[in-house]
Amino acid sequence: YLSAKNTAGTVLYGSSLFQLRGDMDFSGPEDDFGYSGSAGSHTRGIVVGTSTASENFDGHALGSIITSSSSGLYYNPSVSPSASWDSGTKRWTVAWVRVFNNMTTNVTYQIGEIGIYAGYRFITTGNNFMFCRDVISPTLSVPPQTLLTVTYYFITQFPE
C-alpha cells in the first residue's frame, strides 16, 4: 500500500493500491493519467517556476509555479514523446518535450525550477503528483516574445 501527496499537498491513502495500470497511455492528457499537458495547462506535463529553493524530501509541488496565461507565459501542449533504441549502447531513451511562449512585450521570466506533474488515479481520479523537480542555477531568462523549449530524457541502460 502506498500513501502519496498530490500537488495540492493532500495526503492520499487507503486500502486500495496505487493504480499504475499496464494498459495506460501515458501520453494522453485526456484520460486522467500520464505526463502530457494540454494547451494552457500548468497542472500536468512539464512545468516551470521561479523558486530556487533547494530540494526538499517532503516537496510535493514546485516552489513557485508560473501559471499559464495567454498574456504571460503560455504553456503549449506537450509534444508526443519520442522513443529510440540504440543497439550499440543498449540504451532505451524517451524524450518528453514542452514549449513555453513568453507572450509579453515587457516581462522577462526567470526560471529557477522545472519539473514534471503527472496525473494518476489514486483512490479517486483527477490527482496530479510531482514526478520530479530540478533547480536551475543560475536561473534561466526567458525574454519577451521568445520561446523556451524544455526536454526531459528518460534513459534506461540495459546490461550487456
Side-chain angles (χ1 to χ4, degrees), residues 33-49:
F33 295 111
Y35 304 112
S36 287
S38 56
S41 172
H42 54 265
T43 60
R44 187 169 313 139
I46 297 173
V47 292
V48 296

Side-chain angles (χ1 to χ4, degrees), residues 25 27-33 44:
D25 174 6
S27 63
E30 69 285 342
D31 61 6
D32 224 13
F33 295 111
R44 187 169 313 139

Side-chain angles (χ1 to χ4, degrees), residues 2 4-8 10-21 24 31-34 44 118-129:
L2 179 68
K5 189 181 288 188
N6 64 18
T7 55
T10 303
V11 176
L12 302 171
Y13 57 90
S15 58
S16 63
L17 291 172
F18 190 78
Q19 297 178 24
L20 286 178
R21 301 186 337 234
M24 282 193 258
D31 61 6
D32 224 13
F33 295 111
R44 187 169 313 139
Y120 290 111
R121 180 173 291 150
F122 185 79
I123 301 172
T124 62
T125 60
N127 286 296
N128 294 317
F129 299 89

Side-chain angles (χ1 to χ4, degrees), residues 38-152:
S38 56
S41 172
H42 54 265
T43 60
R44 187 169 313 139
I46 297 173
V47 292
V48 296
T50 59
S51 176
T52 57
S54 24
E55 300 296 335
N56 179 343
F57 181 75
D58 291 321
H60 58 276
L62 294 189
S64 184
I65 193 167
I66 300 172
T67 58
S68 182
S69 168
S70 60
S71 60
L73 189 68
Y74 184 74
Y75 285 55
N76 289 292
S78 296
V79 176
S80 293
S82 63
S84 64
W85 168 252
D86 184 325
S87 60
T89 62
K90 298 196 180 311
R91 184 177 290 175
W92 174 255
T93 303
V94 178
W96 288 86
V97 179
R98 193 164 200 183
V99 177
F100 302 85
N101 190 348
N102 184 347
M103 306 292 282
T104 69
T105 58
N106 61 352
V107 175
T108 297
Y109 288 96
Q110 297 298 322
I111 307 301
E113 57 186 341
I114 299 173
I116 298 177
Y117 284 0
Y120 290 111
R121 180 173 291 150
F122 185 79
I123 301 172
T124 62
T125 60
N127 286 296
N128 294 317
F129 299 89
M130 184 171 66
F131 180 74
C132 64
R133 175 182 179 258
D134 293 293
V135 176
I136 308 302
S137 180
T139 59
L140 179 64
S141 295
V142 183
Q145 304 294 302
T146 61
L147 300 175
L148 168 66
T149 301
V150 176
T151 304
Y152 268 97

